[in-house]
Every structure is written in structure tokens, then in C-alpha cells.
Amino acid sequence: MATSTATKETFLAPEAPQTGKIYNFIEAHAEKNGSRPSPQFFLSGADAGDQVEIPHAIYEVLVKTVEAMRKGLAITITPSSMTLTTQQAAELLGVTRPTLVRLLDAGKIPFEKPGTHRRIKLEDVLAFKEVRKAEQYEALDSLGALDDENSEAATIRMKKARAVAAERRRQHKE
């Protein structure tokens, strides 16, 4: 079996019919059963019985990849141990580079400075992003502590606003 090194790779979208069958299967299953298929899919070899079950995490990557490729988008797979520049990390967090530098200098996100430039691990940026999101939801909940109905509505609005902002960022990068 061939092995692959952990490098950043970009895959261009194949012709629509190739991804269309997979997408149609996933969507038909979801419509029929009310949810997407559980990860009981297999990667099979040429010989009978030569197969392995695809784990849930890999299945989710496959679903997202197929959805994007079906839209004609290219896919980039980046190992999580990758280090980012301050500009790349700022873009990932949706902040300006000076704001990111302030976060780094305040010790909010770990970084290395091997020479004159800061390098941030992707996993540290993603961890900070999750902590920040959790803090935002906690703040929202504390603001609406007196009125649970309004708090829940505000949380729903915030989730929708985050989704809209994320979609705008994706469209802006295209």
C-alpha cells in the first residue's frame, strides 16, 4: 500500500457526473431516512472481501468534499500540524492581522518566533476559535439570564449570523 506524506494538497473538482452519483445517493438516503447515512460505508479493493469500513470522521470529510466538488469548487486538505503565518491565522479567525498580533502578544494563542516572523500552529488557532465561540455563547446566555425565551432566541440569531458571515467569507474568497 502506498503511503502519503502530510502535505497540503489541492484537488480540483472532477466532472459533475462523477460527484453527482455520490451526492444523489447521500441526498436520497437523507430524504428517505430523515438523516444522512450512518458511516457504514466501505472502501473496497479488487478482491472479494478486500474492504475496510470508512470511519465517521473520514465519511464527513468525504461528504463535505463531494458537496464542494459538485459545486465545481477545488478542495484543499491541510494537515492540522501545519503552521500558519499571522496573515493566514487572522483570515482563519476573521480578524485583522494587527488584532491577531495583539492576541498573540497577550498570550491568548501560543506561537513560535524562530526568526523575525511569528508562526502559529493551525491546531492552536482552531482551539482558540472554539474557546472564543464558547465564550460568546456564554456571554449571550448571561445577558438573557432573566428571560430564558429571549436568551434562546438570541442564541439562535447569533448562530444564524455566524453562518451568514461564514458564507460571505467563503464567497469573498472565491
Side-chain angles (χ1 to χ4, degrees), residues 60-133:
E60 287 300 319
V61 170
L62 176 63
V63 168
K64 290 177 182 175
T65 300
V66 169
E67 286 176 350
M69 287 182 153
R70 185 170 179 268
K71 295 175 184 175
L73 301 173
I75 302 298
T76 301
I77 298 177
T78 307
S80 64
S81 62
M82 184 177 147
T83 57
L84 305 174
T85 65
T86 52
Q87 185 61 46
Q88 291 169 323
E91 288 173 3
L92 184 62
L93 292 174
V95 299
T96 64
R97 197 188 67 74
T99 298
L100 177 78
V101 169
R102 282 193 292 275
L103 291 169
L104 297 174
D105 291 343
K108 303 271 185 187
I109 305 171
F111 69 95
E112 295 174 354
K113 195 170 180 179
T116 58
H117 299 286
R118 295 172 181 89
R119 295 288 179 243
I120 308 115
K121 289 183 181 176
L122 176 60
E123 62 192 87
D124 292 334
V125 174
L126 294 175
F128 174 78
K129 189 175 184 178
E130 287 303 310
V131 167
R132 186 174 67 170
K133 188 187 328 182

Side-chain angles (χ1 to χ4, degrees), residues 19 26 28 32 40 43 46 73 78 96 99 108 124 128 136 141 146 162 172:
T19 57
I26 292 168
K32 179 181 176 187
Q40 296 186 6
L43 179 62
L73 301 173
T78 307
T96 64
T99 298
K108 303 271 185 187
D124 292 334
F128 174 78
Q136 289 171 342
D141 285 342
L146 298 176
R162 290 175 73 84
H172 179 65

Side-chain angles (χ1 to χ4, degrees), residues 2-77:
T3 58
S4 171
T5 58
T7 60
K8 179 178 179 178
E9 295 184 45
T10 299
F11 302 92
L12 299 177
E15 297 297 316
Q18 293 175 333
T19 57
K21 274 181 148 178
I22 297 170
Y23 182 82
N24 290 342
F25 171 80
I26 292 168
E27 290 303 309
H29 189 283
E31 188 175 310
K32 179 181 176 187
N33 299 311
S35 65
R36 288 198 167 138
S38 61
Q40 296 186 6
F41 298 95
F42 298 88
L43 179 62
S44 61
D47 299 329
D50 184 14
Q51 65 183 24
V52 63
E53 185 174 349
I54 298 174
H56 182 72
I58 294 173
Y59 169 76
E60 287 300 319
V61 170
L62 176 63
V63 168
K64 290 177 182 175
T65 300
V66 169
E67 286 176 350
M69 287 182 153
R70 185 170 179 268
K71 295 175 184 175
L73 301 173
I75 302 298
T76 301
I77 298 177

